[in-house]
């Protein structure tokens, strides 16, 4: 990796992933959890999902240090039906729980046409697209729902209740990487509010309220006792409510407003649940799904939507594979210090 | 039913349903299809979903008369997996196809924890909530997706491609009728544009464009070669794209832009597909789902969201059960004439 500007460095994906895994292991996770979280975090950084890349590491470490999340948790997988897998994340992170349930869920969807993977007692502090993209690479359609922590005011209400509650979707296409979207049902993702606050940018109108419930464009006012609004008015609010029910009530997890981390100063990771729905898209169709998906995209491009969901991530990924993942030299120093290197 | 104003009449649900069934039978449907469509249409009228009540009957009849939709179609149900039912609607309406697949889908979700019901080759011209509410009354969580006909511009595009592509969701609650929403992924439902045009109301800003792609608030300009926009910007557009893939590509149906009804003047019913996802919500949880749902609603009310999705329909329904379903006398005359009475 050559000629970066002196304050920038370029790392390969493996270098960044191994460095991050070392940080997690240094801070109390098992080697398995460290490897899974590091893969996720390095992938977000590589793909330009900055709000879920190395920016998140201090939050992870703070939560681990507070004793709020169990970095050593061993997920427990239960087979509860021909189309239903449940996983108790045992107070650990959602990603190792998903990894633990993956093989059984894949077996079920291939055998029976669809499956649900219901994760509870889990902490999800990452982007959601990494949870669905791999299933599309297996030829499946995947939907994921995760609730988070109270920060969104229900439509017409005056107090926050829902989390940012993202929905992610992935589908295979015959002519390229899977079609993937990951959208917060809040008007803005919490990580993007944090980045705006850090960088001193204002938020667009209609995205948030301050601690008194008044509309504000100041990201610090939103973070300091304020709250977010849902996207698209009552429709986004209905979808956010649906995410609470799918990700928490069906799984046996906590609603976004149910957990109490006050006894764990420094806790930052929401302790909720996650639901994945996996469908074999060729089971019901007469024409190959991936070709049908490609045809839809061709027509979307013709209608003038030139950029498809996920395109920016894939472009950043290709660039990172050629040139390395760009980091500020100071950030790399901080990461090395956290890893004790 | 007593003392209506002289230009208004009140019918019982059974009276209205039987009248509508007679209309459908008079216009070429089988008795079974007539009964199912009449139940659906009368329920929408009863519940105050005016855009999907008797307002729709001329469109149904026009499509039937054009030979575009087969009112005598016999749906074919196929068992294609422990969690997957597919139904060929055989060019008929989606509701009889759903009815035909219901028992097998219920058997599968009860036995295996979840099931998908994939309907293709179907015409859906009704509200979507009647498709999911009955499953919630069986204790299940249900999601439905249906694509329709090209009238929504993809985000960033300049030509319509997607349909209004609604998503419906239903969940049981322990303290009342199921929680149900039915939302178009367009900024406004097509039926509401038709009603605004008929009644001479303007549309809100940002809901539609005219035939030249220019923003307009005139519902007639939208209907006359114009198009709708999706709700919530790129997020609603991504969801609309997802509905195309779920309802058409997975089922083996047509995308909203694929069918050509030009050989059938008067055709109005979109010939696409519908996907239902059914989940047994107690399979993955440790606490009864319906109680968890009730708890969420209690907290939503406390946060200031006093009206829940579906509340208005249930209030109208209760009132109609007490007082009858109000119709204009002239509308009743028209319905009777259509039924040959």
């Amino acid at each position: 990796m050559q000629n970066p500007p002196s304050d920038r460095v370029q790392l390969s994906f493996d270098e960044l992933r191994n460095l991050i895994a070392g940080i997690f292991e240094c801070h109390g996770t098992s080697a398995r959890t460290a490897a899974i979280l590091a893969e996720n975090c390095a992938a977000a950084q590589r793909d330009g999902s900055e709000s879920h890349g190395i920016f998140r590491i201090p939050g992870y470490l703070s939560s681990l240090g507070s004793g709020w999340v169990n970095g050593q948790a061993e997920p427990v997988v239960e087979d509860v039906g021909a189309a239903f897998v449940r996983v108790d994340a045992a107070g650990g992170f959602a990603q190792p729980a998903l990894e633990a349930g993956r093989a059984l869920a894949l077996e079920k969807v291939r055998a029976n046409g669809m499956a649900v993977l219901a994760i509870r007692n889990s902490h999800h502090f990452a982007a959601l697209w990494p949870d669905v993209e791999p299933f599309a690479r297996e030829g499946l359609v995947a939907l994921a729902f995760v609730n988070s922590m109270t920060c969104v005011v229900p439509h017409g209400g005056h107090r926050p209740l829902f989390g940012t509650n993202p929905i992610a979707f992935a589908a295979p296409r015959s002519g390229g990487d899977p079609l993937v979207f990951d959208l917060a049902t809040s008007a803005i993702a919490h990580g993007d509010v944090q980045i705006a606050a850090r960088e001193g940018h204002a938020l667009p109108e209609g995205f948030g309220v301050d601690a008194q419930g008044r509309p504000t464009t100041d990201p610090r006012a939103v973070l300091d006792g304020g709250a977010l609004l849902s996207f698209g008015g009552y429709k986004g609010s209905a979808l956010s409510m649906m995410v609470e029910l799918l990700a928490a009530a069906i799984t046996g997890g906590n609603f976004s407003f149910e957990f109490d981390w006050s006894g764990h100063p420094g806790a930052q990771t929401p302790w909720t649940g996650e639901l994945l729905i996996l469908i074999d898209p060729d089971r019901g169709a007469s024409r190959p799904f991936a070709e049908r998906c490609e045809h839809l995209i061709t027509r979307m491009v013709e209608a003038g939507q030139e950029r498809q969901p996920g395109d920016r991530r894939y472009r950043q990924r290709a660039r990172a594979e050629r040139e390395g993942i760009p980091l500020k030299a100071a950030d790399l120093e901080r990461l090395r210090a956290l890893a004790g290197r």
Side-chain angles (χ1 to χ4, degrees), chain A residues 225-246:
Chain A
L228 305 176
L229 296 170
S230 55
F231 92 97
Y234 76 93
K235 293 184 180 183
S237 186
L239 292 169
S240 187
M241 174 194 75
M242 179 185 81
V243 173
E244 293 288 341
L245 291 170
L246 296 176

Side-chain angles (χ1 to χ4, degrees), chain A residues 171-179 288-295 297-298:
Chain A
R173 49 184 285 197
S174 58
D177 286 309
L179 191 62
F289 177 88
E291 288 175 20
R292 296 285 290 150
C293 184
E294 195 64 33
H295 179 53
I297 293 168
T298 302

Side-chain angles (χ1 to χ4, degrees), chain A residues 176-249:
Chain A
D177 286 309
L179 191 62
V180 178
F181 68 72
D182 170 1
L183 55 88
T185 54
S186 53
I188 184 169
H190 215 259
D192 289 326
V193 180
Q194 290 173 285
I195 286 181
R198 195 184 59 181
E199 300 188 348
H201 298 148
L203 302 175
E205 302 270 349
F207 279 34
V209 295
D210 67 14
Q212 282 73 46
R214 294 173 305 208
T216 182
T217 60
D218 179 356
R220 289 160 305 181
V222 170
L223 296 173
D224 186 21
L228 305 176
L229 296 170
S230 55
F231 92 97
Y234 76 93
K235 293 184 180 183
S237 186
L239 292 169
S240 187
M241 174 194 75
M242 179 185 81
V243 173
E244 293 288 341
L245 291 170
L246 296 176

Side-chain angles (χ1 to χ4, degrees), chain A residues 27-31 33-34 64 69-73 91-93:
Chain A
H27 288 79
T29 77
S30 66
T33 291
L64 282 162
V69 57
N70 180 3
Q72 302 281 337
F93 291 101

Side-chain angles (χ1 to χ4, degrees), chain A residues 43-213:
Chain A
Q45 188 71 29
R46 173 197 65 197
D47 288 8
S49 296
E50 285 199 16
S51 60
H52 292 91
I54 60 168
F55 173 72
R56 288 265 153 164
I57 289 175
Y60 276 111
L61 303 188
S62 179
S63 249
L64 282 162
S66 76
W68 170 243
V69 57
N70 180 3
Q72 302 281 337
E74 293 290 337
V76 180
V77 178
E78 285 173 275
D79 183 342
V80 293
F84 210 120
V85 179
R86 62 191 295 216
V87 187
D88 181 353
F93 291 101
Q95 290 76 17
L98 168 53
E99 217 30 64
R102 180 188 306 279
L104 183 59
L106 281 173
E107 188 188 311
K108 286 183 187 298
V109 65
R110 294 230 163 86
N112 303 321
M114 90 174 310
V116 66
L117 182 57
I119 300 168
R120 69 186 185 283
N121 202 0
S122 52
H123 294 250
H124 203 294
F125 198 58
L128 195 54
W129 60 263
D131 296 5
V132 291
E133 186 188 317
F135 290 108
R137 295 194 181 277
E138 302 267 355
L140 303 173
V141 167
L143 277 155
F145 309 89
V146 63
N147 65 319
S148 53
M149 59 190 171
T150 293
C151 61
V152 170
V153 180
H155 186 71
H158 46 71
R159 273 213 310 268
L161 186 71
F162 302 142
T164 53
N165 294 6
I167 298 173
F169 172 80
R173 49 184 285 197
S174 58
D177 286 309
L179 191 62
V180 178
F181 68 72
D182 170 1
L183 55 88
T185 54
S186 53
I188 184 169
H190 215 259
D192 289 326
V193 180
Q194 290 173 285
I195 286 181
R198 195 184 59 181
E199 300 188 348
H201 298 148
L203 302 175
E205 302 270 349
F207 279 34
V209 295
D210 67 14
Q212 282 73 46

